[in-house]
């Protein structure tokens, strides 16, 4: 120990540690330490590499000491050995930017915290790399006693100096105040200490735009929530239009019905609190599809007016439910008795709930609404500000399933014109300028199946005439099918001379059997021969018709192509049956295998039939033959309602789709 170090004897029975340690700290603060060359050069080196204030290891160990006197001993040793003033020692921080006060708080060293904060009060607002003050750290680690100590010490310093900010309003890099941290810690005692020190911070938003009140709901602590709910929103300002400060919005987000009822019990007026989009909790419940929360809010509202208020875009809660396709919320809404007709519930564009559902392709909602007795023909055929009915809007966005359900309802008037003089079918017809999309193709078929005649304005259609490229598509189609038909002729022709089981040879003893089929007496040979012949002649006819179509004009060629395609469909259906019969013949001795072949053949023949009808059903719908027409309708129903899902809006980058 050097001469400059004055050791104060410690009496183990002396309980007055404050007086003793404060006296030693004052002496250390007033003591001057002359620098030597070695120390100076070392500090210069650290300063050059940017580590002048990096905390030395001895200080880490000093903060960890159990007794405060031992901590002061370490400070004395560091000051003497390093030739550093005490203020320079406390200026050092860890790599994370923590001061010794941060470290003492984290470790729960209450006496050391009291000693440091008294002699170096500026450390109370020192921040680490995360922007945390010692108070942030104290509440995060639930040190209630240290929280009280820091608040008391800072209050004393604030009384001495004017203009100091409230330490409870200090925010870290996440924008969290100490109360945010306290709520996240879920420690009621710590929350109450901070709350009693500054009640208005309850409504302070962090960078995530969430207040401590909002976080209390998210964390699900009812005691903390009830404490924070006692603070009213500022009386001199409008209710904050922000999602992150509405406890009901938070309870809906967490889908916690108990908290929703708890909040409504304590503060029923919060049902009117709006978010940044002007939406009430009812709007938010409808938007996220939380039907149970929507029902609770609806039942606890003092009047129906809350559910009939619009947000900034004029959308009612029911509009948002229809837009997002939340059918359970829609059912809850329609089960309620409203003092106003449904067709009068309009947004700023003059659109009712069916408009909104059809516009966004929510086929499940559209189907439910059409079946609901509260939806009348006025709602179904109502026009918006642009003169569009729900069917117009579904056609604009090419939603074939919505169009299918709406045209299938006899109350829908398909001939209504919008402000541009267009019907819904005209809009679909004009949707593709150069190429047709599958969506447009299906929507056109739906209108055709519904028996809607095409009466598009010739002047308007002339501006949307397809380019010459589609004129070549018929020729390309004919060439493709001609190749397929030719291959089918070749296969069936060859099969006729390579019959299953072979033929009797020329050296057979019975002259009448020579060259005859060995299995000609079998029933399945009749099946094979019959279906192979049908496939052969159907393919030949298809080839001939396609060759003729190439020399006709477009109108006649289209009709001939339809007949050729019908012949190909027959060929594609008969070839699999002929193949199954041939295989069945050669394995007839094994009954189990023969049965398996028959089952597999029947199953795949049905699948082929379904696939061919799916491709041919547009023709079937247009023909007057009842059987084919009904088959076409059946396939259309399967495709629209079961297989193809086009409930999303067409992408703008897809050139084959209509840009909305």
């Amino acid at each position: 120990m050097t001469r400059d170090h004055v050791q104060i004897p410690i009496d183990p029975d002396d309980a007055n540690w404050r007086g003793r340690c404060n006296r030693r700290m004052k002496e250390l603060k007033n003591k001057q330490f002359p620098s030597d060359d070695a120390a100076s050069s070392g500090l210069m080196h650290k300063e050059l590499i940017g580590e002048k204030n990096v905390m030395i290891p001895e200080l880490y160990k000093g903060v960890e000491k159990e007794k405060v006197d031992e901590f002061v001993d370490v400070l004395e040793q560091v000051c003497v050995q390093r030739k550093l003033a005490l203020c320079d020692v406390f200026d050092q921080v860890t790599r994370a930017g923590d001061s010794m006060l941060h470290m003492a708080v984290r470790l729960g060293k209450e006496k050391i915290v009291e000693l440091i904060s008294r002699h170096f009060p500026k450390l109370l607002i020192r921040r680490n790399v995360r922007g945390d003050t010692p108070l942030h750290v104290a509440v995060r680690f639930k040190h209630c006693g240290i929280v009280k100590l820091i608040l008391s010490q800072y209050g004393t310093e604030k009384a001495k100096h004017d203009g100091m900010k409230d330490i409870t309003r200090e925010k870290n890099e996440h924008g969290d105040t100490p109360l945010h941290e306290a709520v996240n810690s879920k420690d009621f005692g710590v929350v109450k200490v901070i709350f009693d020190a500054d009640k208005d911070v309850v409504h302070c938003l962090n960078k995530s735009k969430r207040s401590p009140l909002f976080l209390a709901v998210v964390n699900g602590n009812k005691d903390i929530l009830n404490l924070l709910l006692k603070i009213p929103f500022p009386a001199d300002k409008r209710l904050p239009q922000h999602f992150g400060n509405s406890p009901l919005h938070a309870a809906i987000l967490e889908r916690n019905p108990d908290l929703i009822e708890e909040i409504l019990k304590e503060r029923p007026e919060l049902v009117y609190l709006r978010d940044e989009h002007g939406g009430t909790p009812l709007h938010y419940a409808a938007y996220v599809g939380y039907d149970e929360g929507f029902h609770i809010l609806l039942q606890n509202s003092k009047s129906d007016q809350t559910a009939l208020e619009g947000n900034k875009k004029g959308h009612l809660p029911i509009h948002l439910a229809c837009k997002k396709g939340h059918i359970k919320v829609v059912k809850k809404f329609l089960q309620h008795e409203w003092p106003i007709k449904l067709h009068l519930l309009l947004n700023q564009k003059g659109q009712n709930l069916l408009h909104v559902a059809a516009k966004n392709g929510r086929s499940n909602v559209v189907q439910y609404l059409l079946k609901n007795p509260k939806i009348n023909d006025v709602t179904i055929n109502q026009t918006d500000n642009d003169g569009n009915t729900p069917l117009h809007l579904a056609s604009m966005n090419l939603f074939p399933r919505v169009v299918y359900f709406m045209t299938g309802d006899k109350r829908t008037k398909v001939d209504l014109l919008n402000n541009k003089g267009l019907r819904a079918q005209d809009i679909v017809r004009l949707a593709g300028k150069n190429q047709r999309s599958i969506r447009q193709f299906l929507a056109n078929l739906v209108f055709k199946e519904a028996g809607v005649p095409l009466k598009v304005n010739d002047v308007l259609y002339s501006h949307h005439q397809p380019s010459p490229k589609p004129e070549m598509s018929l020729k390309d189609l004919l060439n493709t099918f001609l190749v397929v038909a030719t291959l089918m002729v070749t296969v069936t022709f060859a099969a006729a001379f390579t019959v299953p089981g072979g033929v009797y040879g020329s050296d057979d003893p019975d002259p009448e059997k020579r060259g005859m089929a060995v299995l000609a007496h079998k029933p399945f040979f009749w099946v094979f021969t019959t279906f192979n012949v049908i496939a052969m002649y159907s393919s030949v006819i298809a080839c001939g018709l396609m060759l003729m179509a190439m020399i006709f004009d477009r109108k006649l060629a289209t009709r001939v192509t339809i007949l050729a395609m019908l012949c190909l469909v027959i060929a594609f259906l008969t070839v699999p049956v002929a193949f199954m019969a041939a295989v069945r013949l050669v394995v007839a001795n094994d009954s189990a295998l023969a049965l398996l072949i028959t089952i597999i053949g029947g199953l795949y023949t049905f699948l082929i039939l379904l696939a061919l009808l799916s491709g041919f059903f547009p023709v079937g719908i247009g023909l007057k033959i009842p059987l084919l027409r009904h088959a076409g309708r059946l396939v259309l129903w399967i495709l629209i309602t079961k297989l193809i899902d086009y409930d999303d809006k067409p992408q703008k980058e897809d050139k084959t789709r209509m840009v909305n």
Side-chain angles (χ1 to χ4, degrees):
M1 197 70 65
T2 64
R3 292 180 303 171
D4 297 323
H5 175 67
V6 180
Q7 179 69 41
I8 298 177
I10 301 175
D11 185 355
D13 298 327
D14 185 5
N16 188 20
W17 66 269
R18 287 186 178 86
R20 180 177 65 251
C21 292
N22 286 330
R23 185 170 65 253
R24 295 178 65 186
M25 289 289 285
K26 289 180 180 178
E27 292 178 1
L28 280 173
K29 288 170 68 176
N30 295 328
K31 188 170 295 186
Q32 300 295 324
F33 297 94
S35 60
D36 54 38
D37 294 339
S40 298
S41 61
L43 288 175
M44 181 62 69
H45 173 68
K46 290 183 178 181
E47 185 175 1
L48 289 175
I49 64 175
E51 297 185 352
K52 179 179 178 179
N53 294 328
V54 175
M55 189 175 293
I56 58 179
E58 292 88 339
L59 296 178
Y60 283 94
K61 298 177 181 178
V63 178
E64 295 175 353
K65 297 294 184 179
E66 292 296 328
K67 297 181 179 180
V68 66
D69 295 281
E70 295 176 347
F71 169 68
V72 179
D73 288 340
V74 173
L75 293 178
E76 288 183 300
Q77 293 173 9
V78 170
C79 290
V80 172
Q81 295 175 2
R82 301 273 180 166
K83 306 298 183 182
L84 292 173
L86 189 61
C87 60
D88 293 331
V89 172
F90 277 96
D91 194 42
Q92 295 183 8
V93 295
T94 66
R95 297 284 182 180
D98 289 328
S99 66
M100 275 191 283
L101 183 57
H102 284 92
M103 295 176 59
V105 169
R106 182 178 291 107
L107 295 172
K109 306 294 184 180
E110 188 170 338
K111 292 181 179 180
I112 296 178
V113 170
E114 180 180 341
L115 187 66
I116 296 175
S117 59
R118 178 172 181 179
H119 291 276
F120 294 93
K122 291 185 178 180
L123 294 181
L124 290 171
I125 55 173
R126 172 74 68 86
R127 301 174 182 276
N128 58 19
V129 295
R130 295 181 55 185
D132 292 329
T133 65
L135 184 58
H136 284 92
V137 178
V139 297
R140 186 178 301 139
F141 285 88
K142 307 177 184 179
H143 298 314
C144 190
I146 294 179
V147 171
K148 295 178 180 178
L149 178 62
I150 292 176
L151 290 173
S152 175
Q153 187 62 44
Y154 190 82
T156 303
E157 291 298 319
K158 185 179 179 183
K160 297 178 182 178
H161 305 87
D162 295 333
M164 291 181 65
K165 297 190 300 183
D166 292 329
I167 195 172
T168 52
R169 302 294 178 94
E170 294 290 332
K171 296 183 177 183
N172 59 18
E173 292 298 321
H174 299 293
D176 290 329
T177 65
L179 186 56
H180 283 92
E181 292 286 354
V183 172
N184 283 329
S185 73
K186 301 181 182 180
D187 189 296
F188 180 80
V190 173
V191 172
K192 192 171 188 313
V193 172
I194 299 293
F195 175 80
D196 291 338
D198 188 356
K199 294 180 172 58
D200 291 335
V201 78
V202 166
H203 302 300
C204 186
L205 302 178
N206 60 14
K207 288 185 177 180
S208 298
K209 306 301 181 184
R210 297 186 174 189
S211 67
L213 179 59
F214 189 97
L215 294 178
V217 181
V218 173
N219 291 328
N221 191 308
K222 288 187 178 181
D223 293 332
I224 295 176
L225 174 62
N226 289 329
L227 176 67
L228 302 188
L229 280 174
K230 295 178 180 179
I231 303 304
F233 288 87
D236 58 337
K237 299 179 182 178
R238 294 181 59 190
L239 289 179
Q241 288 190 348
H242 208 291
F243 169 82
N245 197 30
S246 170
L248 279 176
H249 282 80
I252 294 168
L253 175 67
E254 296 299 312
R255 297 179 180 267
N256 192 324
D258 294 335
L259 286 181
I260 293 176
E261 293 179 345
E262 185 77 19
I263 295 168
L264 290 173
K265 177 183 177 182
E266 297 293 327
R267 300 285 298 278
E269 72 277 9
L270 293 183
V271 74
Y272 304 106
L273 194 63
R274 295 177 179 267
D275 59 22
E276 65 271 30
H277 302 294
T280 64
L282 270 169
H283 281 90
Y284 189 58
Y287 182 81
V288 300
Y290 183 33
D291 57 297
E292 184 179 2
F294 184 85
H295 178 71
I296 294 173
L297 292 171
L298 205 59
Q299 294 297 113
N300 285 272
S301 297
K302 294 182 179 180
S303 68
D304 294 331
Q305 188 60 34
T306 308
L308 302 179
E309 291 181 353
N311 58 15
K312 289 182 178 180
K313 293 185 177 181
H315 288 305
L316 277 62
I318 184 60
H319 290 143
L320 297 181
C322 291
K323 179 179 180 179
K324 303 301 292 185
H326 299 311
I327 193 168
K328 291 183 179 180
V329 176
V330 176
K331 290 180 179 179
K332 295 289 185 183
F333 184 88
L334 293 181
Q335 288 171 0
H336 194 79
E337 293 298 328
W338 300 101
I340 187 173
K341 298 295 184 181
L342 294 181
H343 68 270
L344 298 178
L345 302 179
L346 306 178
N347 59 17
Q348 291 179 352
K349 296 182 179 180
Q351 297 169 348
N352 61 38
L353 61 168
L354 191 56
H355 276 100
V356 177
K359 178 182 178 180
N360 292 277
R362 304 306 178 184
S363 57
N364 59 334
V365 176
V366 170
Q367 189 177 20
Y368 173 76
L369 291 176
L370 292 174
K371 294 179 180 179
N372 193 285
K374 293 185 178 181
I375 303 298
N376 53 26
D377 55 347
V378 177
T379 308
I380 295 173
N381 299 298
Q382 190 174 13
T383 58
D384 62 10
N385 296 344
D386 295 322
N388 293 315
T389 65
L391 183 59
H392 280 92
L393 296 180
S395 301
M396 286 180 182
N397 292 293
L398 297 177
F399 292 127
R401 186 176 293 180
V402 176
V403 173
Y404 182 83
F405 290 140
M406 296 209 66
T407 55
D409 194 302
K410 296 180 179 180
R411 297 171 294 175
T412 303
K413 297 179 181 179
V414 296
D415 289 327
L416 293 179
L417 304 179
N418 62 11
N419 292 350
K420 295 182 179 180
L422 294 175
R423 301 173 310 151
Q425 189 188 19
D426 301 335
I427 293 173
V428 173
R429 177 71 173 173
L430 300 175
K433 294 182 179 180
N434 296 324
Q435 297 181 9
R436 290 186 177 184
S437 67
I438 296 177
R439 304 170 73 120
Q440 183 195 20
F441 174 70
L442 290 174
N444 269 320
L445 287 174
V446 170
F447 280 111
K448 189 174 182 179
E449 194 275 337
V452 182
L454 179 64
K455 296 187 294 185
V456 68
N457 188 291
D458 293 335
V459 176
L460 289 173
Y461 184 66
S462 64
H463 294 292
H464 296 269
Q465 276 290 350
S467 63
K469 183 176 180 180
E471 293 291 336
M472 299 298 296
S473 62
L474 181 58
K475 183 177 179 181
D476 295 337
L477 182 66
L478 286 171
N479 288 331
T480 302
F481 280 115
L482 183 58
V483 172
V484 175
T486 304
L487 289 175
M488 190 68 71
V489 171
T490 305
V491 170
T492 53
F493 184 84
F497 294 97
T498 56
V499 294
V503 296
Y504 290 103
S506 57
D507 56 348
D508 191 269
D510 188 351
E512 295 183 359
K513 291 184 178 181
R514 295 172 185 173
M516 296 294 104
V518 175
L519 303 177
H521 62 285
K522 299 287 186 180
F524 273 98
F525 188 84
W526 284 63
V527 175
F528 164 75
T529 306
T530 303
F531 278 84
N532 188 66
V533 169
I534 294 174
M536 168 68 180
Y537 286 112
S538 297
S539 303
V540 171
I541 294 173
C543 287
L545 290 173
M546 290 178 188
L547 289 173
M548 293 172 60
M550 290 184 178
I551 62 175
F552 293 151
D553 58 34
R554 184 175 181 82
K555 184 175 182 180
L556 185 57
T558 302
R559 295 183 178 180
V560 173
T561 303
I562 291 175
L563 293 176
M565 290 175 62
L566 179 59
C567 292
L568 269 182
V569 168
I570 295 173
F572 273 108
L573 287 175
T574 52
V575 165
V577 177
F579 176 80
M580 179 196 68
V583 177
R584 180 72 170 73
L585 279 170
V586 298
V587 297
N589 292 334
D590 191 333
S591 58
L593 181 58
L595 178 61
L596 178 62
I597 294 298
T598 304
I599 295 174
I600 293 175
L603 175 62
Y604 276 88
T605 300
F606 172 76
L607 293 177
I608 294 171
L609 173 63
L610 183 62
L612 289 174
L613 285 176
S614 300
F616 190 69
F617 80 96
V619 180
I621 290 175
L623 294 178
K624 296 182 179 180
I625 303 174
L627 179 61
L628 293 178
R629 184 172 179 81
H630 288 307
R633 287 179 174 177
L634 175 62
V635 175
L636 179 63
W637 177 81
I638 294 174
L639 285 175
I640 294 292
T641 62
K642 304 298 181 184
L643 298 180
I644 299 178
D645 181 11
Y646 279 127
D647 286 350
D648 58 324
K649 287 189 177 181
Q651 299 296 320
K652 292 182 179 181
E653 64 270 16
D654 189 347
K655 295 181 180 180
T656 65
R657 296 176 177 177
M658 178 182 177
V659 179
N660 183 19

